[in-house]
């Protein structure tokens, strides 16, 4: 432990020495009597001082929690000698908050008696948070000496993002060849009724529509939609993060949305992949199952903005992570030119693309003066032009204000795609 | 108290001249407490001691008994100022900590006064009120403080689980 003397102790010793010298020099008792109490106190402090030898053990009952959940950090203190004044402080990273706002406690320890404390921690934002600094400071009874020590308990807390609730997802234009839950647009073996046509050689007898065939001179067969799986690739724009208040930001919202969408498609036995497209590119090849869900969550925890001025296009994305006929759902604030160009490029390459735009206006403060208000209006117009550009290319752009549920936003995408299909038909 | 003991009341102008630095030191002490600067305490104590010694030098008087009282007062000023700053820390602190500190400061002051009385007796210097009164007073103070300490020590410290928040 590091020992620090109080500035008061130094002052007492200096004053004491000065008083003694003055008394001896002047030959009068008053200077000595004046500083004698200070000298006595300083001597006493130096005599009774002892290394407190406090042992500290920090534990976390779990290392994984969901965003918004609480966890109790346990601290166990023990000392062979009684400690009259002990202060304990836990350094918390920004995404974690102390419940009740208290991160510092002051207490006494009895000799040989173990004392257990619990700190309630609130996980305010997803992420991986190290708890690597617990500081203790022990003072002697008179406060002349302070012993300080910082303990690294080597603990970390993984806070998983709360998945955005989703009841219906976006239907892809094309499905894959494997069986799944998505009713394919093409016809084949399945359950969902599609159409009726005249019997042709090679048709199975079980597909004959007997009710209709009995009223007609020729046989008719039912056509069905097969159920197929889909490939969904979530493209997370990590070029820009618009910081808001209270630990909220566009990236935090994007991660919650991506987690919700991934969970939804994985529950339907679809293959889901992830591309974090930004200063550094990270990807997960589409796969299905619970394991992929965990892999996606782990990858989302690592999502962060890496500052880079290097131009990046879709060429840097490995082809395996963007399979043909995949539905690409981009979650982006549409602020960085590189991500905008990449999305246009993907559309140009024929990918089925939908954009969930994270409205930056929701995170930034309202304009304070008329000039700023005018600038903001111009900026909005510019963004509307950009959205229109995507829409003209057949790409739905739904703006997501974090205050509204993701379902509402995806309904906008579904409506756009439905109307576009009708218009093209 | 140190400021009052340092006042030179022989004439109004001398009272103003000797009282001015006392007021300034009071203000400095107030500022140190408000701004929570423990480093200032030593300087303030040094100036207070100089103020009293200056008063003795100007008056040309020798007053060992008052010097001893002023010395104890200086110690008390230092301890109480530091305690005041320590007590303003942000966090959840046991009430026992303050009780323990209070008893610690009282013992320290009492010990210093006792040592001073012994030095005065050893040096054959006069003691205000007489040695018997001072010994009885000290004994009573020690007994009272011992009683407080014993009661405080018996109060249970939290040995089980305790929620810091």
């Amino acid at each position: 432990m590091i020992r620090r003397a109080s500035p008061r102790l130094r002052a007492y010793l200096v004053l004491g020495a000065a008083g003694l010298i003055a008394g001896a020099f002047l030959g009068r008792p008053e200077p000595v009597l004046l500083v004698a109490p200070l000298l006595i106190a300083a001597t006493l402090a130096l005599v009774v001082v002892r290394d407190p030898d406090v042992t500290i053990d920090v534990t976390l009952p779990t290392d994984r929690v969901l965003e918004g959940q609480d966890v109790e950090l346990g601290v166990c203190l023990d000392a062979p000698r009684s400690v009259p004044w002990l202060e304990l402080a836990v350094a918390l990273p920004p995404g974690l908050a102390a419940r009740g706002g208290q991160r510092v406690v002051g207490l006494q320890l009895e000799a040989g008696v173990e004392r257990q404390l619990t700190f309630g921690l609130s996980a305010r934002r997803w992420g991986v948070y190290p708890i690597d600094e617990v500081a203790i400071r022990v003072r002697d009874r008179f406060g002349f000496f302070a012993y300080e020590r910082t303990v690294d308990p080597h603990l970390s807390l993984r806070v998983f993002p709360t998945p955005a609730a989703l009841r219906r997802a976006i239907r892809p234009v094309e499905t894959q060849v494997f069986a799944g839950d998505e009713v394919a647009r093409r016809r084949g073996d399945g359950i969902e009724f599609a159409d009726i046509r005249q019997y042709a050689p090679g048709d199975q007898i079980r597909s004959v529509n007997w009710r209709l065939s009995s009223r007609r001179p020729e046989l008719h067969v039912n056509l069905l939609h097969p159920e197929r799986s889909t490939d969904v690739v979530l493209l997370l724009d990590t070029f820009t993060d618009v910081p808001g208040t209270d630990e909220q930001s566009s990236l935090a919202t994007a991660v919650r949305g991506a987690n919700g969408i991934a969970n939804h498609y994985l529950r339907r036995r679809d293959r889901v992949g992830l591309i974090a497209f930004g200063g550094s590119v990270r990807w997960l090849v589409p796969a299905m199952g619970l394991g992929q869900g965990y892999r996606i969550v782990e990858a989302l925890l690592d999502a962060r903005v890496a500052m880079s001025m290097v131009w990046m296009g879709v060429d840097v994305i490995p082809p395996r992570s963007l399979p043909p006929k995949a539905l690409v759902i981009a979650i982006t604030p549409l602020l960085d030119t590189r991500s905008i160009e990449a999305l246009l490029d993907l559309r140009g390459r024929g990918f089925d693309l939908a954009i969930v735009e994270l409205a930056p206006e929701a995170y930034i403060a309202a304009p304070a003066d008329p000039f700023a208000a005018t600038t903001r209006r111009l900026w909005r117009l510019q963004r509307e032009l950009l959205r229109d550009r995507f829409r003209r290319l057949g790409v739905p752009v739904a703006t997501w204000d974090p205050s509204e549920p993701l379902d509402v936003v995806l309904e906008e995408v579904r409506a756009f795609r439905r109307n576009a299909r009708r218009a093209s038909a | 108290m140190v400021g009052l003991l340092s006042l030179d009341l022989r004439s109004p102008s001398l009272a103003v001249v000797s009282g001015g630095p006392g007021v300034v030191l009071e203000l400095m002490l107030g500022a140190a407490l408000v701004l929570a600067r423990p480093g200032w305490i030593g300087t303030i104590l040094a100036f207070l001691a100089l103020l009293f010694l200056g008063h003795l030098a100007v008056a040309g008087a020798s007053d060992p008994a008052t010097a001893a009282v002023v010395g104890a007062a200086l110690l008390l000023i230092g301890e109480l100022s530091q305690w005041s700053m320590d007590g303003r820390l942000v966090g959840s602190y046991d009430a026992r900590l303050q009780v323990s500190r209070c008893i610690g400061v009282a013992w320290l002051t009492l010990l210093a006064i006792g040592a001073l009385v012994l030095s005065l007796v050893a040096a054959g210097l006069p003691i205000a009120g007489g040695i018997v009164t001072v010994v009885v007073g000290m004994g009573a103070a020690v007994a009272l403080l011992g009683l407080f300490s014993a009661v405080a020590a018996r109060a249970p410290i939290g040995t089980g689980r305790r929620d810091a928040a």
Side-chain angles (χ1 to χ4, degrees), chain A residues 72-112:
Chain A
E72 302 282 336
L73 180 79
V75 181
C76 183
L77 295 160
D78 193 12
R81 283 184 292 276
S82 66
V83 175
W85 186 296
L86 186 145
E87 288 163 294
L88 183 131
V90 182
L92 294 177
L96 293 179
R99 207 172 48 216
Q102 298 288 10
R103 293 189 306 174
V104 181
V105 291
L107 52 105
Q108 287 185 327
L109 282 182
E110 269 186 310

Side-chain angles (χ1 to χ4, degrees), chain A residues 121-193:
Chain A
L121 304 183
S122 239
R124 295 172 66 187
R125 187 187 190 273
W126 54 266
V128 182
Y129 299 111
I131 297 171
D132 53 5
E133 205 177 326
V134 177
I136 55 170
R137 179 162 56 195
V138 175
R139 293 176 196 267
D140 61 23
R141 190 168 295 280
F142 309 112
F144 283 111
F145 286 100
Y147 290 85
E148 293 173 354
R149 194 174 88 188
T150 306
V151 181
D152 182 359
H154 301 289
L155 295 173
S156 72
L157 187 65
R158 304 178 84 77
V159 181
F160 293 137
T162 317
L166 208 58
R167 270 182 284 179
R168 286 180 65 201
I170 306 167
R171 285 189 67 191
V173 174
E174 289 189 85
T175 49
Q176 302 295 319
V177 293
F178 304 107
D181 281 5
E182 182 66 44
V183 178
R185 295 187 201 282
R186 72 168 76 92
R187 287 150 193 179
D189 286 337
I191 298 169
E192 292 289 325
F193 176 78

Side-chain angles (χ1 to χ4, degrees), chain A residues 133-372:
Chain A
E133 205 177 326
V134 177
I136 55 170
R137 179 162 56 195
V138 175
R139 293 176 196 267
D140 61 23
R141 190 168 295 280
F142 309 112
F144 283 111
F145 286 100
Y147 290 85
E148 293 173 354
R149 194 174 88 188
T150 306
V151 181
D152 182 359
H154 301 289
L155 295 173
S156 72
L157 187 65
R158 304 178 84 77
V159 181
F160 293 137
T162 317
L166 208 58
R167 270 182 284 179
R168 286 180 65 201
I170 306 167
R171 285 189 67 191
V173 174
E174 289 189 85
T175 49
Q176 302 295 319
V177 293
F178 304 107
D181 281 5
E182 182 66 44
V183 178
R185 295 187 201 282
R186 72 168 76 92
R187 287 150 193 179
D189 286 337
I191 298 169
E192 292 289 325
F193 176 78
D195 204 352
I196 293 174
R197 66 162 167 77
Q198 267 197 353
Y199 178 83
D203 283 342
Q204 291 186 340
I205 293 296
R206 67 175 180 178
S207 61
V208 172
N209 187 328
W210 294 109
R211 179 176 284 186
L212 180 67
S213 301
S214 63
R215 296 176 194 161
R216 299 272 175 167
E218 60 280 336
L219 286 173
H220 281 76
V221 289
N222 289 333
L223 298 178
L224 303 168
H225 286 300
E227 280 82 33
R228 293 283 181 260
S229 72
T230 61
D231 280 357
V232 179
V233 175
L234 297 167
L235 197 143
L236 199 68
D237 180 355
T238 56
F239 277 114
T240 326
D241 184 17
V242 187
T245 53
D246 198 24
E247 304 291 335
Q248 294 303 316
S249 71
S250 66
L251 187 62
T253 312
V255 164
R256 283 181 208 116
N259 193 20
I261 295 171
N263 277 353
H264 183 84
Y265 280 106
L266 285 170
R267 273 201 301 272
R268 290 164 21 125
R269 296 191 293 280
D270 292 325
R271 297 200 311 162
V272 181
L274 176 76
I275 299 169
F277 188 63
S280 65
V281 179
R282 289 158 179 255
W283 64 89
L284 269 178
V285 175
M288 59 196 294
L290 192 64
Q292 179 71 354
Y294 284 121
R295 279 190 289 275
I296 287 176
V297 170
E298 292 288 338
L300 287 173
L301 285 183
D302 285 337
R304 58 180 58 87
V305 174
M307 277 301 292
S308 167
M309 304 308 280
V310 178
W311 181 261
M312 250 184 245
V314 285
D315 302 334
V316 297
I317 300 172
R320 279 184 64 220
S321 60
L322 269 174
K325 300 181 187 176
L327 165 65
V328 180
I329 301 175
I331 307 176
T332 166
L334 285 179
L335 287 172
D336 195 283
T337 319
R338 289 168 291 188
S339 63
I340 294 167
E341 290 298 325
L343 292 174
L344 290 168
D345 197 0
L346 278 176
R347 184 58 188 154
R349 292 173 190 220
F351 279 97
D352 182 13
L353 179 65
I355 296 175
V356 175
E357 182 208 356
L358 300 154
E361 291 97 330
Y363 303 95
I364 51 180
D369 54 84
F371 178 73

Side-chain angles (χ1 to χ4, degrees), chain B residues 117-153:
Chain B
V117 169
L118 282 178
S119 348
L120 287 173
V121 170
L125 293 167
I127 299 168
I131 183 73
V132 178
T133 315
V134 171
V135 168
V136 169
M138 289 288 292
V142 168
L144 196 64
L145 201 53
L147 192 69
F148 277 135
S149 304
V151 170

Side-chain angles (χ1 to χ4, degrees), chain B residues 52-81:
Chain B
F52 181 71
L53 288 177
H55 157 68
L56 287 184
V58 169
S62 175
D63 192 356
T66 313
V69 172
V70 170
L74 288 179
L75 176 68
L76 209 54
I77 289 170
E79 291 305 307
L80 293 178
S81 305

